[in-house]
Amino acid sequence: MNENYNQALERSGLSMYAVSRMSGVPYTTVNEIHNKKIDINQCASATLFRLASALGAEPGAVINPIRYLDGTTGRCRGITYTWSYDNGSRITFQYEGEEVTLNTGKDYNVPGRTRFYNDIAEWMIQDYIEEKKWQEEADRQEEAERFFE
């Protein structure tokens, strides 16, 4: 937590006291953000902008990464899926009583592209269902072949 802020602080070469004086943010707040007692993403926007300005950085460069899709849901073919993040974007859903998690292999995290992420989830679910049906048919044929041997 707060790695981006702490890296910006280190790059600036400033002390926490200097950042406090330059930004007008109380030293205790600067110290608690640095020591991860306060999540910088939970700070007031004025505090965030003041700190970023003192560090010579853009506000977006000092906040913690935000996972826009994490926890969002959608529906495909009557199946409700949920997006999550664990070293890459994943979708999780129930299929035939089984919980299925599919890894997209990518880190989808651009808020303006949500429509595309729903398409991706639908393609992945459709591919999973088709693969499952294909495998069930292959298993049935293999069993039938063994029966007639």
Side-chain angles (χ1 to χ4, degrees):
M1 182 169 72
N2 300 343
E3 288 84 8
N4 291 342
Y5 169 80
N6 286 333
Q7 288 172 1
L9 177 62
E10 188 176 311
R11 281 192 304 272
S12 75
L14 299 170
S15 68
M16 287 186 283
Y17 179 75
V19 170
S20 172
R21 297 236 351 166
M22 291 172 66
S23 66
V25 174
Y27 176 81
T28 54
T29 303
V30 173
N31 187 16
E32 288 179 346
I33 292 170
H34 176 72
N35 291 314
K36 303 175 184 177
K37 292 180 180 175
I38 295 176
D39 181 350
I40 195 164
N41 288 18
Q42 301 302 316
C43 290
S45 59
T47 301
L48 175 64
F49 279 87
R50 287 178 182 172
L51 290 171
S53 178
L55 295 172
E58 292 293 320
V62 297
I63 62 173
N64 301 322
I66 299 169
R67 300 280 165 215
Y68 296 104
L69 284 175
D70 211 13
T72 61
T73 61
R75 285 187 62 77
C76 168
R77 299 178 135 200
I79 297 171
T80 300
Y81 59 87
T82 304
W83 283 96
S84 62
Y85 183 82
D86 182 20
N87 293 324
S89 299
R90 300 173 186 272
I91 56 170
T92 303
F93 56 94
Q94 294 285 325
Y95 184 73
E96 296 181 346
E98 174 185 346
E99 183 173 275
V100 178
T101 300
L102 303 176
N103 186 345
T104 65
K106 302 216 182 281
D107 180 7
Y108 294 116
N109 199 36
V110 180
R113 304 233 169 136
T114 306
R115 175 175 56 95
F116 299 114
Y117 301 149
N118 291 333
D119 291 343
I120 291 166
E122 289 179 14
W123 294 330
M124 291 178 68
I125 290 169
Q126 184 172 331
D127 283 350
Y128 175 83
I129 291 170
E130 288 176 8
E131 173 83 18
K132 188 98 169 154
K133 289 180 179 177
W134 180 88
Q135 188 61 50
E136 288 170 359
E137 181 60 31
D139 291 347
R140 273 195 293 276
Q141 285 182 356
E142 185 178 309
E143 189 175 314
E145 289 172 4
R146 274 188 271 140
F147 179 76
F148 289 111
E149 287 180 349

